[in-house]
Amino acid sequence: MDPIRIAVVGLGKIARDQHLPAIRGNPAFSLAATVSPDDPGPVGVPHLARLEDLLNKGPAVDAVALCTPPQVRYGLAAMALKRGVHVFLEKPPGATLSEVAALRDRAAKVDATLFAAWHSRFAAGVAPARAWLSDRKVERVSVTWREDVRVWHPGQAWIWEPGGLGVFDPGINALSIITHILPRPVFLKTATLSIPENRAAPIAADLQFCDTAGADIHMDLDWRQTGPQSWDIEVETDAGTLKLSSGGAVLTLPTGTEHADDLEYAGLYARFANLIRGGRSDVDIDPLRLVADAFLRGRRETVAAFHD
Amino acid sequence: MDPIRIAVVGLGKIARDQHLPAIRGNPAFSLAATVSPDDPGPVGVPHLARLEDLLNKGPAVDAVALCTPPQVRYGLAAMALKRGVHVFLEKPPGATLSEVAALRDRAAKVDATLFAAWHSRFAAGVAPARAWLSDRKVERVSVTWREDVRVWHPGQAWIWEPGGLGVFDPGINALSIITHILPRPVFLKTATLSIPENRAAPIAADLQFCDTAGADIHMDLDWRQTGPQSWDIEVETDAGTLKLSSGGAVLTLPTGTEHADDLEYAGLYARFANLIRGGRSDVDIDPLRLVADAFLRGRRETVAAFHD
């Protein structure tokens, strides 16, 4: 079977740290080109400034991975799907729910694969956590996602703009995990969003969710954490407490702790190849829907200005 | 066939002006009770303070119409569905998308009917507008929804609270029409929300949408309109311009103008009866999804304080 010729569009931190190595490590893919307005320096494959140039002039591609900021992703994805090119969407899959729904319709019409990727769902502890919780009664969930934005998003102005999500950019990773591992649907009850006085997006958020059996789910998101970073989920059940830490990499059950290597992006690209070979799409908008609900329903408070 | 015994829950302006007359005018229903914390004065049927009292003590009901503010609607709907009681949700169907999705799952499990009602879709001009547009090429859409909040929502504090939607409370009526009449999916591009400095919800909004063929859709929502009120939608097509005015009641096509009587709530209750008799639900969240997208993606600006 010929490898899937893929181009990576948008060459920021996540593309360089994760996408290019994952593609190079998977023989189902061959990296055909990179696309970004700036010169990326030597990557070893043809480079183009714009996706339009790639699609018009080649090299030929079967798929693109879109790693640009979400605000411009719809136009790029629609352009690729129009040519029947498969599309991998970095998270969040778009700047709005309605544009992701429109892309899903479009992909179905042209028989191309659309994959809304949630990398944290491929963290090592997540699949076994989901299996363990599937027949448990969930009593309470506590999510703590506290990190230092200056370390993880240095100088990324787009993340503070409308559509850039602010602290929900990491927070949506936690949401992608809990919507995947909890056995019942989750919905938002109340939210408080803390917005720096000089920015459009929240730097912190306190969220109360609930599942359909009434279990409380509390989420504490904060981008002002210096020192130790926390990406932890605790689920209290009738059979004891499950804990996922390090963003899902480390799973602790009442029976002990399991560590495993980080294979998130390797898992994502294996999934993308399977979807393409099988002629299917995978577009789950639940995590982004919960974020939209927090913006819709949440109370806002203004906090101190944030300067990079 | 026995009439469907129904209780109206929440006896504010819309319940008195629309729901009670529509139920009394439809022989498929019999009004069994009213529910609200305040004494409603003489309605001619038993009155209870809380839905829980009604469901525990009777009189027996087959259905409830929830006309409370959206912030408390999920709990009431879940309680009714748990007893297998059919639920009519006034618009908006909830304070968040995720809670409406959870209700839809719950209704399916208990075989009860859940109806997310969008009354403006039952305005006289809407069905013929949809039919006329179905094979037209849409070039541009302009929506102007300008009304005086002091006239239409006097002293309604909940509408300014998080989850109360502000100017999107009427604006969602326009969204319910355009998502119904336009032949292609619509998504949000940009939004500016104008929030009074003493309130949590917008008093005005300027929105740019787009359909999947690229047609521009502009929406101007404003609650500060005194004098003549505007609820107008203009759709420019390859076959001329369609205009819906008076909130959808009056349709103007290139061939002339049609006026018709307002039968919105009569239409809603006829539909609700059909859904119940057919064992089906109808829960379209597209209008609320576009509002959530505007809160998610929109830029906010602070404007002058609003006092009732």
Side-chain angles (χ1 to χ4, degrees), chain B residues 127-159:
Chain B
R130 177 182 160 103
W132 191 82
L133 287 169
S134 65
D135 53 1
R136 295 299 190 286
K137 180 173 174 340
V138 172
E139 282 160 4
R140 192 196 313 264
V141 181
S142 169
V143 179
T144 309
W145 227 251
R146 299 176 74 94
E147 61 176 49
D148 186 345
V149 63
R150 289 188 175 87
V151 171
W152 300 101
H153 298 280
Q156 290 183 5
W158 62 268
I159 216 163

PDB file of all heavy atoms in Angstrom, chain B residues 127-159:
ATOM      1  N   ALA B 127     -42.741  29.160   6.282  1.00  0.00           N
ATOM      2  CA  ALA B 127     -42.800  27.933   5.469  1.00  0.00           C
ATOM      3  C   ALA B 127     -42.754  28.264   3.975  1.00  0.00           C
ATOM      4  O   ALA B 127     -41.972  27.652   3.228  1.00  0.00           O
ATOM      5  CB  ALA B 127     -44.032  27.110   5.839  1.00  0.00           C
ATOM      6  N   PRO B 128     -43.542  29.249   3.484  1.00  0.00           N
ATOM      7  CA  PRO B 128     -43.413  29.573   2.054  1.00  0.00           C
ATOM      8  C   PRO B 128     -42.047  30.163   1.689  1.00  0.00           C
ATOM      9  O   PRO B 128     -41.562  29.932   0.579  1.00  0.00           O
ATOM     10  CB  PRO B 128     -44.548  30.583   1.801  1.00  0.00           C
ATOM     11  CG  PRO B 128     -45.078  30.981   3.136  1.00  0.00           C
ATOM     12  CD  PRO B 128     -44.700  29.909   4.102  1.00  0.00           C
ATOM     13  N   ALA B 129     -41.421  30.871   2.620  1.00  0.00           N
ATOM     14  CA  ALA B 129     -40.074  31.401   2.338  1.00  0.00           C
ATOM     15  C   ALA B 129     -39.092  30.240   2.147  1.00  0.00           C
ATOM     16  O   ALA B 129     -38.273  30.239   1.225  1.00  0.00           O
ATOM     17  CB  ALA B 129     -39.608  32.302   3.482  1.00  0.00           C
ATOM     18  N   ARG B 130     -39.196  29.264   3.022  1.00  0.00           N
ATOM     19  CA  ARG B 130     -38.311  28.090   2.916  1.00  0.00           C
ATOM     20  C   ARG B 130     -38.508  27.368   1.589  1.00  0.00           C
ATOM     21  O   ARG B 130     -37.556  26.976   0.916  1.00  0.00           O
ATOM     22  CB  ARG B 130     -38.622  27.159   4.095  1.00  0.00           C
ATOM     23  CG  ARG B 130     -37.859  25.856   4.118  1.00  0.00           C
ATOM     24  CD  ARG B 130     -38.338  25.047   5.341  1.00  0.00           C
ATOM     25  NE  ARG B 130     -38.059  23.645   5.237  1.00  0.00           N
ATOM     26  CZ  ARG B 130     -37.071  23.011   5.879  1.00  0.00           C
ATOM     27  NH1 ARG B 130     -36.261  23.681   6.654  1.00  0.00           N
ATOM     28  NH2 ARG B 130     -36.899  21.719   5.743  1.00  0.00           N
ATOM     29  N   ALA B 131     -39.766  27.206   1.202  1.00  0.00           N
ATOM     30  CA  ALA B 131     -40.051  26.514  -0.057  1.00  0.00           C
ATOM     31  C   ALA B 131     -39.485  27.301  -1.244  1.00  0.00           C
ATOM     32  O   ALA B 131     -38.844  26.742  -2.139  1.00  0.00           O
ATOM     33  CB  ALA B 131     -41.559  26.308  -0.204  1.00  0.00           C
ATOM     34  N   TRP B 132     -39.676  28.637  -1.206  1.00  0.00           N
ATOM     35  CA  TRP B 132     -39.212  29.463  -2.334  1.00  0.00           C
ATOM     36  C   TRP B 132     -37.686  29.435  -2.436  1.00  0.00           C
ATOM     37  O   TRP B 132     -37.122  29.448  -3.537  1.00  0.00           O
ATOM     38  CB  TRP B 132     -39.722  30.901  -2.141  1.00  0.00           C
ATOM     39  CG  TRP B 132     -39.534  31.766  -3.352  1.00  0.00           C
ATOM     40  CD1 TRP B 132     -40.337  31.835  -4.458  1.00  0.00           C
ATOM     41  CD2 TRP B 132     -38.455  32.700  -3.591  1.00  0.00           C
ATOM     42  NE1 TRP B 132     -39.835  32.743  -5.359  1.00  0.00           N
ATOM     43  CE2 TRP B 132     -38.682  33.287  -4.860  1.00  0.00           C
ATOM     44  CE3 TRP B 132     -37.325  33.082  -2.864  1.00  0.00           C
ATOM     45  CZ2 TRP B 132     -37.827  34.248  -5.408  1.00  0.00           C
ATOM     46  CZ3 TRP B 132     -36.470  34.035  -3.410  1.00  0.00           C
ATOM     47  CH2 TRP B 132     -36.726  34.607  -4.660  1.00  0.00           C
ATOM     48  N   LEU B 133     -36.995  29.405  -1.293  1.00  0.00           N
ATOM     49  CA  LEU B 133     -35.526  29.451  -1.297  1.00  0.00           C
ATOM     50  C   LEU B 133     -34.872  28.100  -1.602  1.00  0.00           C
ATOM     51  O   LEU B 133     -33.676  28.046  -1.879  1.00  0.00           O
ATOM     52  CB  LEU B 133     -35.009  29.945   0.060  1.00  0.00           C
ATOM     53  CG  LEU B 133     -35.198  31.434   0.338  1.00  0.00           C
ATOM     54  CD1 LEU B 133     -34.897  31.751   1.805  1.00  0.00           C
ATOM     55  CD2 LEU B 133     -34.295  32.271  -0.584  1.00  0.00           C
ATOM     56  N   SER B 134     -35.661  27.036  -1.552  1.00  0.00           N
ATOM     57  CA  SER B 134     -35.038  25.705  -1.568  1.00  0.00           C
ATOM     58  C   SER B 134     -34.208  25.449  -2.823  1.00  0.00           C
ATOM     59  O   SER B 134     -33.214  24.733  -2.755  1.00  0.00           O
ATOM     60  CB  SER B 134     -36.095  24.608  -1.386  1.00  0.00           C
ATOM     61  OG  SER B 134     -36.960  24.622  -2.506  1.00  0.00           O
ATOM     62  N   ASP B 135     -34.586  26.037  -3.964  1.00  0.00           N
ATOM     63  CA  ASP B 135     -33.755  25.818  -5.153  1.00  0.00           C
ATOM     64  C   ASP B 135     -33.174  27.128  -5.698  1.00  0.00           C
ATOM     65  O   ASP B 135     -32.892  27.245  -6.880  1.00  0.00           O
ATOM     66  CB  ASP B 135     -34.539  25.057  -6.239  1.00  0.00           C
ATOM     67  CG  ASP B 135     -35.853  25.748  -6.556  1.00  0.00           C
ATOM     68  OD1 ASP B 135     -36.147  26.810  -5.952  1.00  0.00           O
ATOM     69  OD2 ASP B 135     -36.580  25.243  -7.428  1.00  0.00           O
ATOM     70  N   ARG B 136     -33.005  28.117  -4.817  1.00  0.00           N
ATOM     71  CA  ARG B 136     -32.381  29.378  -5.226  1.00  0.00           C
ATOM     72  C   ARG B 136     -30.920  29.416  -4.810  1.00  0.00           C
ATOM     73  O   ARG B 136     -30.508  28.741  -3.864  1.00  0.00           O
ATOM     74  CB  ARG B 136     -33.098  30.577  -4.562  1.00  0.00           C
ATOM     75  CG  ARG B 136     -34.553  30.791  -4.979  1.00  0.00           C
ATOM     76  CD  ARG B 136     -34.685  31.053  -6.463  1.00  0.00           C
ATOM     77  NE  ARG B 136     -36.024  31.483  -6.885  1.00  0.00           N
ATOM     78  CZ  ARG B 136     -37.112  30.699  -6.972  1.00  0.00           C
ATOM     79  NH1 ARG B 136     -37.054  29.442  -6.606  1.00  0.00           N
ATOM     80  NH2 ARG B 136     -38.261  31.187  -7.399  1.00  0.00           N
ATOM     81  N   LYS B 137     -30.161  30.241  -5.520  1.00  0.00           N
ATOM     82  CA  LYS B 137     -28.782  30.517  -5.119  1.00  0.00           C
ATOM     83  C   LYS B 137     -28.793  31.776  -4.254  1.00  0.00           C
ATOM     84  O   LYS B 137     -29.164  32.858  -4.720  1.00  0.00           O
ATOM     85  CB  LYS B 137     -27.917  30.732  -6.360  1.00  0.00           C
ATOM     86  CG  LYS B 137     -26.459  31.024  -6.037  1.00  0.00           C
ATOM     87  CD  LYS B 137     -25.622  31.055  -7.315  1.00  0.00           C
ATOM     88  CE  LYS B 137     -24.175  31.484  -7.075  1.00  0.00           C
ATOM     89  NZ  LYS B 137     -23.880  32.204  -5.854  1.00  0.00           N
ATOM     90  N   VAL B 138     -28.415  31.627  -2.995  1.00  0.00           N
ATOM     91  CA  VAL B 138     -28.435  32.763  -2.071  1.00  0.00           C
ATOM     92  C   VAL B 138     -27.159  33.574  -2.240  1.00  0.00           C
ATOM     93  O   VAL B 138     -26.052  33.022  -2.228  1.00  0.00           O
ATOM     94  CB  VAL B 138     -28.569  32.268  -0.618  1.00  0.00           C
ATOM     95  CG1 VAL B 138     -28.388  33.410   0.377  1.00  0.00           C
ATOM     96  CG2 VAL B 138     -29.926  31.597  -0.424  1.00  0.00           C
ATOM     97  N   GLU B 139     -27.317  34.888  -2.435  1.00  0.00           N
ATOM     98  CA  GLU B 139     -26.136  35.741  -2.637  1.00  0.00           C
ATOM     99  C   GLU B 139     -25.772  36.542  -1.395  1.00  0.00           C
ATOM    100  O   GLU B 139     -24.594  36.760  -1.115  1.00  0.00           O
ATOM    101  CB  GLU B 139     -26.382  36.678  -3.828  1.00  0.00           C
ATOM    102  CG  GLU B 139     -26.199  35.911  -5.139  1.00  0.00           C
ATOM    103  CD  GLU B 139     -26.858  36.544  -6.342  1.00  0.00           C
ATOM    104  OE1 GLU B 139     -27.428  37.653  -6.194  1.00  0.00           O
ATOM    105  OE2 GLU B 139     -26.827  35.921  -7.418  1.00  0.00           O
ATOM    106  N   ARG B 140     -26.781  36.998  -0.672  1.00  0.00           N
ATOM    107  CA  ARG B 140     -26.502  37.816   0.491  1.00  0.00           C
ATOM    108  C   ARG B 140     -27.741  37.828   1.389  1.00  0.00           C
ATOM    109  O   ARG B 140     -28.860  37.778   0.889  1.00  0.00           O
ATOM    110  CB  ARG B 140     -26.200  39.244   0.032  1.00  0.00           C
ATOM    111  CG  ARG B 140     -25.624  40.156   1.098  1.00  0.00           C
ATOM    112  CD  ARG B 140     -25.729  41.608   0.646  1.00  0.00           C
ATOM    113  NE  ARG B 140     -25.268  41.790  -0.713  1.00  0.00           N
ATOM    114  CZ  ARG B 140     -24.038  42.188  -1.035  1.00  0.00           C
ATOM    115  NH1 ARG B 140     -23.162  42.420  -0.085  1.00  0.00           N
ATOM    116  NH2 ARG B 140     -23.688  42.356  -2.302  1.00  0.00           N
ATOM    117  N   VAL B 141     -27.520  37.886   2.699  1.00  0.00           N
ATOM    118  CA  VAL B 141     -28.634  37.916   3.645  1.00  0.00           C
ATOM    119  C   VAL B 141     -28.381  39.050   4.633  1.00  0.00           C
ATOM    120  O   VAL B 141     -27.254  39.250   5.091  1.00  0.00           O
ATOM    121  CB  VAL B 141     -28.751  36.581   4.422  1.00  0.00           C
ATOM    122  CG1 VAL B 141     -29.935  36.628   5.391  1.00  0.00           C
ATOM    123  CG2 VAL B 141     -28.882  35.401   3.461  1.00  0.00           C
ATOM    124  N   SER B 142     -29.433  39.785   4.926  1.00  0.00           N
ATOM    125  CA  SER B 142     -29.320  40.865   5.897  1.00  0.00           C
ATOM    126  C   SER B 142     -30.456  40.738   6.907  1.00  0.00           C
ATOM    127  O   SER B 142     -31.625  40.660   6.538  1.00  0.00           O
ATOM    128  CB  SER B 142     -29.405  42.199   5.138  1.00  0.00           C
ATOM    129  OG  SER B 142     -29.556  43.243   6.050  1.00  0.00           O
ATOM    130  N   VAL B 143     -30.089  40.686   8.178  1.00  0.00           N
ATOM    131  CA  VAL B 143     -31.077  40.519   9.245  1.00  0.00           C
ATOM    132  C   VAL B 143     -31.009  41.739  10.160  1.00  0.00           C
ATOM    133  O   VAL B 143     -29.940  42.092  10.644  1.00  0.00           O
ATOM    134  CB  VAL B 143     -30.787  39.247  10.082  1.00  0.00           C
ATOM    135  CG1 VAL B 143     -31.807  39.099  11.201  1.00  0.00           C
ATOM    136  CG2 VAL B 143     -30.739  38.016   9.187  1.00  0.00           C
ATOM    137  N   THR B 144     -32.141  42.376  10.381  1.00  0.00           N
ATOM    138  CA  THR B 144     -32.204  43.530  11.282  1.00  0.00           C
ATOM    139  C   THR B 144     -33.256  43.237  12.340  1.00  0.00           C
ATOM    140  O   THR B 144     -34.436  43.090  12.019  1.00  0.00           O
ATOM    141  CB  THR B 144     -32.589  44.806  10.496  1.00  0.00           C
ATOM    142  OG1 THR B 144     -31.723  44.926   9.363  1.00  0.00           O
ATOM    143  CG2 THR B 144     -32.460  46.040  11.378  1.00  0.00           C
ATOM    144  N   TRP B 145     -32.810  43.142  13.566  1.00  0.00           N
ATOM    145  CA  TRP B 145     -33.710  42.774  14.668  1.00  0.00           C
ATOM    146  C   TRP B 145     -33.491  43.827  15.749  1.00  0.00           C
ATOM    147  O   TRP B 145     -32.591  43.717  16.567  1.00  0.00           O
ATOM    148  CB  TRP B 145     -33.333  41.374  15.161  1.00  0.00           C
ATOM    149  CG  TRP B 145     -34.458  40.401  15.353  1.00  0.00           C
ATOM    150  CD1 TRP B 145     -34.930  39.942  16.541  1.00  0.00           C
ATOM    151  CD2 TRP B 145     -35.213  39.731  14.329  1.00  0.00           C
ATOM    152  NE1 TRP B 145     -35.941  39.034  16.319  1.00  0.00           N
ATOM    153  CE2 TRP B 145     -36.144  38.891  14.977  1.00  0.00           C
ATOM    154  CE3 TRP B 145     -35.231  39.771  12.932  1.00  0.00           C
ATOM    155  CZ2 TRP B 145     -37.058  38.083  14.274  1.00  0.00           C
ATOM    156  CZ3 TRP B 145     -36.127  38.962  12.239  1.00  0.00           C
ATOM    157  CH2 TRP B 145     -37.027  38.142  12.910  1.00  0.00           C
ATOM    158  N   ARG B 146     -34.284  44.888  15.687  1.00  0.00           N
ATOM    159  CA  ARG B 146     -34.071  46.019  16.588  1.00  0.00           C
ATOM    160  C   ARG B 146     -35.363  46.296  17.325  1.00  0.00           C
ATOM    161  O   ARG B 146     -36.375  46.625  16.706  1.00  0.00           O
ATOM    162  CB  ARG B 146     -33.647  47.262  15.791  1.00  0.00           C
ATOM    163  CG  ARG B 146     -32.336  47.064  15.034  1.00  0.00           C
ATOM    164  CD  ARG B 146     -31.990  48.268  14.165  1.00  0.00           C
ATOM    165  NE  ARG B 146     -31.527  49.382  14.956  1.00  0.00           N
ATOM    166  CZ  ARG B 146     -30.247  49.650  15.212  1.00  0.00           C
ATOM    167  NH1 ARG B 146     -29.303  48.905  14.688  1.00  0.00           N
ATOM    168  NH2 ARG B 146     -29.915  50.662  15.970  1.00  0.00           N
ATOM    169  N   GLU B 147     -35.322  46.182  18.647  1.00  0.00           N
ATOM    170  CA  GLU B 147     -36.538  46.381  19.431  1.00  0.00           C
ATOM    171  C   GLU B 147     -36.194  47.072  20.738  1.00  0.00           C
ATOM    172  O   GLU B 147     -35.021  47.230  21.101  1.00  0.00           O
ATOM    173  CB  GLU B 147     -37.235  45.037  19.683  1.00  0.00           C
ATOM    174  CG  GLU B 147     -36.394  44.050  20.465  1.00  0.00           C
ATOM    175  CD  GLU B 147     -37.133  42.752  20.804  1.00  0.00           C
ATOM    176  OE1 GLU B 147     -37.739  42.152  19.905  1.00  0.00           O
ATOM    177  OE2 GLU B 147     -37.100  42.359  21.989  1.00  0.00           O
ATOM    178  N   ASP B 148     -37.222  47.452  21.451  1.00  0.00           N
ATOM    179  CA  ASP B 148     -37.066  48.195  22.707  1.00  0.00           C
ATOM    180  C   ASP B 148     -37.222  47.218  23.873  1.00  0.00           C
ATOM    181  O   ASP B 148     -38.331  46.762  24.169  1.00  0.00           O
ATOM    182  CB  ASP B 148     -38.133  49.284  22.767  1.00  0.00           C
ATOM    183  CG  ASP B 148     -37.955  50.196  23.985  1.00  0.00           C
ATOM    184  OD1 ASP B 148     -37.210  49.825  24.920  1.00  0.00           O
ATOM    185  OD2 ASP B 148     -38.579  51.270  23.998  1.00  0.00           O
ATOM    186  N   VAL B 149     -36.119  46.908  24.532  1.00  0.00           N
ATOM    187  CA  VAL B 149     -36.164  45.901  25.597  1.00  0.00           C
ATOM    188  C   VAL B 149     -37.104  46.316  26.724  1.00  0.00           C
ATOM    189  O   VAL B 149     -37.725  45.456  27.370  1.00  0.00           O
ATOM    190  CB  VAL B 149     -34.743  45.613  26.137  1.00  0.00           C
ATOM    191  CG1 VAL B 149     -34.117  46.852  26.780  1.00  0.00           C
ATOM    192  CG2 VAL B 149     -34.759  44.449  27.135  1.00  0.00           C
ATOM    193  N   ARG B 150     -37.270  47.606  26.931  1.00  0.00           N
ATOM    194  CA  ARG B 150     -38.152  48.047  28.028  1.00  0.00           C
ATOM    195  C   ARG B 150     -39.610  47.697  27.748  1.00  0.00           C
ATOM    196  O   ARG B 150     -40.400  47.503  28.660  1.00  0.00           O
ATOM    197  CB  ARG B 150     -38.018  49.555  28.247  1.00  0.00           C
ATOM    198  CG  ARG B 150     -36.673  49.948  28.856  1.00  0.00           C
ATOM    199  CD  ARG B 150     -36.663  51.421  29.239  1.00  0.00           C
ATOM    200  NE  ARG B 150     -35.422  51.767  29.927  1.00  0.00           N
ATOM    201  CZ  ARG B 150     -34.304  52.130  29.310  1.00  0.00           C
ATOM    202  NH1 ARG B 150     -34.272  52.206  27.991  1.00  0.00           N
ATOM    203  NH2 ARG B 150     -33.213  52.414  30.000  1.00  0.00           N
ATOM    204  N   VAL B 151     -39.959  47.608  26.471  1.00  0.00           N
ATOM    205  CA  VAL B 151     -41.331  47.248  26.105  1.00  0.00           C
ATOM    206  C   VAL B 151     -41.544  45.734  26.201  1.00  0.00           C
ATOM    207  O   VAL B 151     -42.560  45.261  26.711  1.00  0.00           O
ATOM    208  CB  VAL B 151     -41.640  47.718  24.662  1.00  0.00           C
ATOM    209  CG1 VAL B 151     -42.988  47.157  24.190  1.00  0.00           C
ATOM    210  CG2 VAL B 151     -41.616  49.242  24.587  1.00  0.00           C
ATOM    211  N   TRP B 152     -40.562  44.964  25.732  1.00  0.00           N
ATOM    212  CA  TRP B 152     -40.766  43.530  25.541  1.00  0.00           C
ATOM    213  C   TRP B 152     -40.306  42.687  26.719  1.00  0.00           C
ATOM    214  O   TRP B 152     -40.748  41.546  26.877  1.00  0.00           O
ATOM    215  CB  TRP B 152     -40.061  43.072  24.256  1.00  0.00           C
ATOM    216  CG  TRP B 152     -40.601  43.791  23.074  1.00  0.00           C
ATOM    217  CD1 TRP B 152     -40.034  44.856  22.432  1.00  0.00           C
ATOM    218  CD2 TRP B 152     -41.861  43.574  22.429  1.00  0.00           C
ATOM    219  NE1 TRP B 152     -40.849  45.301  21.419  1.00  0.00           N
ATOM    220  CE2 TRP B 152     -41.986  44.527  21.393  1.00  0.00           C
ATOM    221  CE3 TRP B 152     -42.905  42.645  22.618  1.00  0.00           C
ATOM    222  CZ2 TRP B 152     -43.098  44.598  20.556  1.00  0.00           C
ATOM    223  CZ3 TRP B 152     -44.011  42.715  21.788  1.00  0.00           C
ATOM    224  CH2 TRP B 152     -44.107  43.682  20.772  1.00  0.00           C
ATOM    225  N   HIS B 153     -39.387  43.229  27.525  1.00  0.00           N
ATOM    226  CA  HIS B 153     -38.874  42.458  28.670  1.00  0.00           C
ATOM    227  C   HIS B 153     -38.794  43.325  29.912  1.00  0.00           C
ATOM    228  O   HIS B 153     -37.743  43.415  30.540  1.00  0.00           O
ATOM    229  CB  HIS B 153     -37.491  41.872  28.328  1.00  0.00           C
ATOM    230  CG  HIS B 153     -37.538  40.918  27.187  1.00  0.00           C
ATOM    231  ND1 HIS B 153     -37.937  39.609  27.329  1.00  0.00           N
ATOM    232  CD2 HIS B 153     -37.279  41.088  25.873  1.00  0.00           C
ATOM    233  CE1 HIS B 153     -37.902  39.012  26.151  1.00  0.00           C
ATOM    234  NE2 HIS B 153     -37.498  39.885  25.250  1.00  0.00           N
ATOM    235  N   PRO B 154     -39.905  43.960  30.269  1.00  0.00           N
ATOM    236  CA  PRO B 154     -39.855  44.893  31.393  1.00  0.00           C
ATOM    237  C   PRO B 154     -39.459  44.204  32.700  1.00  0.00           C
ATOM    238  O   PRO B 154     -40.086  43.232  33.105  1.00  0.00           O
ATOM    239  CB  PRO B 154     -41.296  45.431  31.462  1.00  0.00           C
ATOM    240  CG  PRO B 154     -42.137  44.394  30.791  1.00  0.00           C
ATOM    241  CD  PRO B 154     -41.259  43.787  29.724  1.00  0.00           C
ATOM    242  N   GLY B 155     -38.385  44.680  33.312  1.00  0.00           N
ATOM    243  CA  GLY B 155     -37.988  44.185  34.629  1.00  0.00           C
ATOM    244  C   GLY B 155     -37.566  42.731  34.685  1.00  0.00           C
ATOM    245  O   GLY B 155     -37.514  42.147  35.761  1.00  0.00           O
ATOM    246  N   GLN B 156     -37.270  42.100  33.532  1.00  0.00           N
ATOM    247  CA  GLN B 156     -36.875  40.686  33.554  1.00  0.00           C
ATOM    248  C   GLN B 156     -35.381  40.583  33.855  1.00  0.00           C
ATOM    249  O   GLN B 156     -34.544  40.499  32.951  1.00  0.00           O
ATOM    250  CB  GLN B 156     -37.206  40.018  32.211  1.00  0.00           C
ATOM    251  CG  GLN B 156     -38.719  39.856  32.007  1.00  0.00           C
ATOM    252  CD  GLN B 156     -39.070  39.134  30.715  1.00  0.00           C
ATOM    253  OE1 GLN B 156     -38.205  38.660  30.002  1.00  0.00           O
ATOM    254  NE2 GLN B 156     -40.355  39.052  30.415  1.00  0.00           N
ATOM    255  N   ALA B 157     -35.051  40.519  35.148  1.00  0.00           N
ATOM    256  CA  ALA B 157     -33.641  40.515  35.545  1.00  0.00           C
ATOM    257  C   ALA B 157     -32.899  39.291  35.001  1.00  0.00           C
ATOM    258  O   ALA B 157     -31.728  39.375  34.623  1.00  0.00           O
ATOM    259  CB  ALA B 157     -33.531  40.556  37.072  1.00  0.00           C
ATOM    260  N   TRP B 158     -33.568  38.133  34.930  1.00  0.00           N
ATOM    261  CA  TRP B 158     -32.896  36.888  34.520  1.00  0.00           C
ATOM    262  C   TRP B 158     -32.312  36.985  33.118  1.00  0.00           C
ATOM    263  O   TRP B 158     -31.334  36.317  32.794  1.00  0.00           O
ATOM    264  CB  TRP B 158     -33.856  35.687  34.590  1.00  0.00           C
ATOM    265  CG  TRP B 158     -35.050  35.818  33.669  1.00  0.00           C
ATOM    266  CD1 TRP B 158     -36.262  36.347  33.986  1.00  0.00           C
ATOM    267  CD2 TRP B 158     -35.134  35.436  32.297  1.00  0.00           C
ATOM    268  NE1 TRP B 158     -37.106  36.315  32.896  1.00  0.00           N
ATOM    269  CE2 TRP B 158     -36.438  35.754  31.846  1.00  0.00           C
ATOM    270  CE3 TRP B 158     -34.245  34.840  31.390  1.00  0.00           C
ATOM    271  CZ2 TRP B 158     -36.873  35.515  30.539  1.00  0.00           C
ATOM    272  CZ3 TRP B 158     -34.669  34.605  30.091  1.00  0.00           C
ATOM    273  CH2 TRP B 158     -35.972  34.940  29.669  1.00  0.00           C
ATOM    274  N   ILE B 159     -32.913  37.819  32.286  1.00  0.00           N
ATOM    275  CA  ILE B 159     -32.483  37.876  30.884  1.00  0.00           C
ATOM    276  C   ILE B 159     -31.110  38.524  30.752  1.00  0.00           C
ATOM    277  O   ILE B 159     -30.411  38.329  29.757  1.00  0.00           O
ATOM    278  CB  ILE B 159     -33.579  38.596  30.061  1.00  0.00           C
ATOM    279  CG1 ILE B 159     -33.693  37.967  28.681  1.00  0.00           C
ATOM    280  CG2 ILE B 159     -33.331  40.087  29.978  1.00  0.00           C
ATOM    281  CD1 ILE B 159     -34.992  38.330  27.982  1.00  0.00           C
TER     282      ILE B 159
END
